[in-house]
Structures are given as C-alpha cells and as structure tokens.
Amino acid sequence: MTRVRHPYLDHPSPIPFAHRGGAADGIENTAAAFERAAKAGYRYFETDVHTTADGRLVAFHDATLDRVTDARGRIAELPWAEVRRARVAGREPLPLFEELLEAFPGARWNVDLKAESALVPLIDLIRRTGAWDRVCVGSFSEARVARAHRLAGPRLATSYGVRGVAALRLRSYGLAVPLRAGAVSAQVPERQSGIPVVDRRFVQTAHALGLQVHVWTINDPARMTALLDLGVDGIMTDHLETLRTVLTDRGAWN
C-alpha cells in the first residue's frame, strides 16, 4: 500500500468498499443496504448522486428510476416529493445523500458524481457538514471531478476520471504525459473493453506518484486475491461476505 495523502484514506489495510452498499441482493443505494454493510463491518461505502428538479441530492446510480424502482422517469425532471415515493425492489425508499451522512457518522463515502447538476450541491453539503475527511469524489468525467477539486480546494479528496486514468496508464509505459494534481487515488476497472487496466506496472506507477489504486467492481474471490497480490489498495464489491472472507483469510480485515 502507498502512503496516506488524505485523512479519507486512513485505513490500516486494503480498503473494502461496499459498492452501492452491496448491490448483489437488489436493494442498492438504500439505507437498508448501507445498514447491512455497516453490520457486516464495512465502513467505506460507494454511492452515486443525482439532483432532482428542485435541487435535492439523491443517492442513486441511474439517471432514471426505471431499472430498480417501481416508478418511472428521469430524476432530474422530477421533484423530490415524487422521487421519494419510489421504492427500490418495490420496498426501499431512495435516500438523500445528506440523510446517509447523518445516519452513518462513522462511514466514509466514495461518491460518483453522475451529473453536472450534482456538483455544486455536493460540495456545498460537504462544506456545510464538515465532511471533508469522509468523502472522496469521483466521476467518469475528468473535467467534472477537476471542477469539483477547483471549487473545494485541497481539503476535498478526489479520484481520477477516465482521462486521468488513461494518462496514468500511459505513465506506466514510460510516457511523460501530464496528470491532474490533487487526486489521491485512481479508481479503475480491472479491464476496459477487454484491455487490462490493472497490472503490476500500473500499481507501481500509481504508488510512485503517491496514489492509491481502488478497483471496481470485483465479485469473484480469485480475482480479489489476484488484485491484492498485485498490491492494490482497495476493492469495491457487490458481494460483501466474499470480500470480507478473502481479506480475513489474508489477515487483512480491519
């Protein structure tokens, strides 16, 4: 593991992330999912945020309600009064991210900015609640996460977007490409379009730059073990018990 560059990363072993609270049983990104993860011993949670038509910051992955709830429509086009009536898997309500911060005061959150409209409300919430050490902001859009970092300053932990990860991959091949300053981690898939992203060279390059490597979304124990053997600093999973067992067997569950 690489050295800690931000209090968010202050964890004594590879970080286990509960991806969407542990999405395997279909109640992803709900208070019930995160409560289950907390009871399983997780304290790093991954979630996503969108804003409603009236500016409320909702913890939810998709732009629409259609896939996992009993409701329909784009979140950005609906008021919170309507979105709050939707039920994930027909039974669990969508939470506001502010409610999750309050409900799980010991948790740290990896937050994927799914929409530009969520950027300012998220930074305002982190500032208002003083949650600088509890939140790491990421996005597929490198420009969006860079704007978040400029808006919030060095107190905010951020990861690289797609362009940043590509630049880091090129760095691992010895090319002197520029990287955005201020990121604390690279959060990446193991492979992208069949092409390996995470290998020993990539991990070593990230560590030499003081960056942690967190890999998503890994549900197979053999792949978890192989990645940990490479020296990755965190794994995001839908299968909470599987990752806990792998880390426990390595003496690395904390």
Side-chain angles (χ1 to χ4, degrees), residues 47 49 110-114 122 135-141 144-145 148 157-161 180 187:
T47 193
V49 289
N110 195 87
V111 180
D112 188 345
L113 270 171
K114 288 297 186 184
L122 177 61
V135 176
C136 179
V137 174
S139 175
F140 284 103
S141 168
R144 184 177 298 151
V145 77
T158 61
S159 61
Y160 283 121
R180 173 175 60 87
Q187 296 178 337

Side-chain angles (χ1 to χ4, degrees), residues 20-48:
R20 305 183 200 170
D25 67 355
I27 57 168
E28 63 183 58
N29 278 330
T30 63
F34 295 118
E35 179 64 31
R36 179 195 55 207
K39 288 180 178 178
Y42 283 75
R43 67 183 186 96
Y44 281 81
F45 300 155
E46 189 275 345
T47 193
D48 316 87

Side-chain angles (χ1 to χ4, degrees), residues 3-12 15 43-44 106-109 130-136 154-158 184 212:
R3 63 185 177 88
V4 172
R5 293 180 59 184
H6 190 281
Y8 174 84
L9 299 171
D10 185 14
H11 187 78
I15 299 173
R43 67 183 186 96
Y44 281 81
R108 295 183 180 181
W109 297 87
W132 299 107
D133 296 349
R134 298 179 56 204
V135 176
C136 179
R155 290 181 297 175
L156 181 68
T158 61
V184 301
Q212 289 200 359

Side-chain angles (χ1 to χ4, degrees), residues 42 190 217-230 232 235-250:
Y42 283 75
E190 186 179 14
T217 303
I218 309 300
N219 296 321
D220 177 72
R223 298 314 310 149
M224 293 172 181
T225 297
L227 288 165
L228 292 166
D229 287 344
L230 287 177
V232 304
I235 290 177
M236 300 185 187
T237 189
D238 296 321
H239 293 271
L240 306 182
E241 294 300 327
T242 300
L243 180 55
R244 185 172 67 174
T245 297
V246 168
L247 288 172
T248 298
D249 289 346
R250 297 172 70 95

Side-chain angles (χ1 to χ4, degrees), residues 32 69 78 129 140 157 161 182-183 185 220 249:
T69 83
L78 299 170
T129 58
F140 284 103
S185 65
D220 177 72
D249 289 346

Side-chain angles (χ1 to χ4, degrees), residues 5 142 159-180 183-188 196-214 233:
R5 293 180 59 184
E142 179 67 23
S159 61
Y160 283 121
V162 171
R163 287 207 307 264
V165 169
L168 185 59
R169 175 80 272 192
L170 292 173
R171 282 279 191 108
S172 75
Y173 291 126
L175 300 177
V177 295
L179 278 171
R180 173 175 60 87
V184 301
S185 65
Q187 296 178 337
V188 296
V197 175
V198 183
D199 57 18
R200 194 169 301 279
R201 178 183 290 179
F202 181 85
V203 173
Q204 289 175 344
T205 300
H207 287 178
L209 294 167
L211 297 163
Q212 289 200 359
V213 177
H214 305 151
D233 305 280

